[in-house]
């Protein structure tokens, strides 16, 4: 319970203005493309979350160039990469994600996800400073969780992918500034020439 409260406090009270974020974020930290199997995705944008002048994490979102902003939660391939600079317990991460999922989908959609929450909890690791966690959705195959380069497993369903990505880029994300950054809608997070 304490872990859930802690992560809520960290995320909710660490809003950062685009001007301030400029000092904490360099889109060149991430590759300009993501390739895996048949996936060929492009970097859409990069965002940062800070607290008391320290970075909590930076995130990058990848999708096919032709996908419009309003369609990113549809049944299309997408990839989210997050680099952490803080500690987040697995249980707190899982519970907070479930709460945000509930805020972004209908009650019918949420109830349809319940039998996959236990699996999600198993796939979310304890996060420590320096960790990298990625979520990759491929239609027909599901959402794959990768922690520090190691595949932890996948969860099936376009409905699950919609819900978990919505916690970052949905109608009610945990942070609207970060959402706009990773979607390339905020100039701080817009893509610049990056490393290959």
């Amino acid at each position: 319970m304490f872990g859930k409260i802690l992560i809520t406090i960290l995320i909710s009270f660490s809003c950062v203005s685009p001007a301030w974020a400029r000092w904490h974020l360099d889109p060149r930290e991430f590759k300009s493309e993501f390739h895996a199997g048949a996936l060929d995705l492009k970097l859409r944008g990069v965002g940062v979350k800070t607290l008391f002048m320290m970075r909590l994490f930076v995130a990058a979102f990848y999708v096919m160039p032709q996908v419009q902003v309003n369609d990113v939660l549809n049944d299309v391939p997408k990839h989210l990469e997050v680099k952490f600079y803080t500690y987040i317990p697995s249980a707190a991460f899982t519970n907070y994600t479930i709460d945000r999922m509930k805020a972004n989908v209908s009650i019918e959609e949420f109830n349809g996800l319940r039998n996959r929450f236990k699996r999600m909890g198993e796939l979310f690791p304890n996060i420590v400073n320096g960790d990298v966690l990625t979520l990759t959705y491929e239609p027909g195959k599901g959402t794959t969780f990768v922690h520090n380069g190691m595949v932890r497993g996948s969860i099936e369903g376009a409905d699950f992918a919609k819900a978990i990505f919505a916690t970052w880029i949905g109608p009610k994300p945990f942070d609207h500034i970060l959402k706009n950054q990773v979607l390339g809608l905020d100039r701080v997070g817009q893509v610049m020439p990056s490393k290959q």
Side-chain angles (χ1 to χ4, degrees), residues 8-93:
T8 302
I9 292 173
L10 286 175
I11 292 178
S12 299
F13 291 92
S14 60
C15 293
V16 55
S17 71
W20 177 251
R22 192 172 296 111
W23 297 96
H24 291 265
L25 180 63
D26 182 353
R28 290 172 295 183
E29 291 184 55
F30 295 91
K31 293 182 179 180
S32 61
E33 301 177 347
F34 173 77
H35 304 282
L39 297 184
D40 183 12
L41 308 181
K42 307 296 183 183
L43 180 62
R44 179 64 59 90
V46 177
V48 61
K49 192 70 176 176
T50 66
L51 177 65
F52 303 135
M53 301 174 65
M54 296 182 297
R55 293 202 297 186
L56 295 179
F57 53 80
V58 292
F61 181 65
Y62 298 77
V63 71
M64 294 183 294
Q66 65 268 31
V67 175
Q68 301 298 309
V69 169
N70 291 336
D71 297 327
V72 293
L73 290 178
N74 291 347
D75 191 13
V76 298
K78 43 190 160 274
H79 174 77
L80 180 74
E81 181 173 332
V82 189
K83 298 179 180 180
F84 291 90
Y85 301 92
T86 188
Y87 169 70
I88 304 176
S90 171
F93 205 162

Side-chain angles (χ1 to χ4, degrees), residues 85-101:
Y85 301 92
T86 188
Y87 169 70
I88 304 176
S90 171
F93 205 162
T94 300
N95 290 334
Y96 188 82
T97 299
I98 291 172
D99 285 346
R100 298 317 307 159
M101 284 177 158

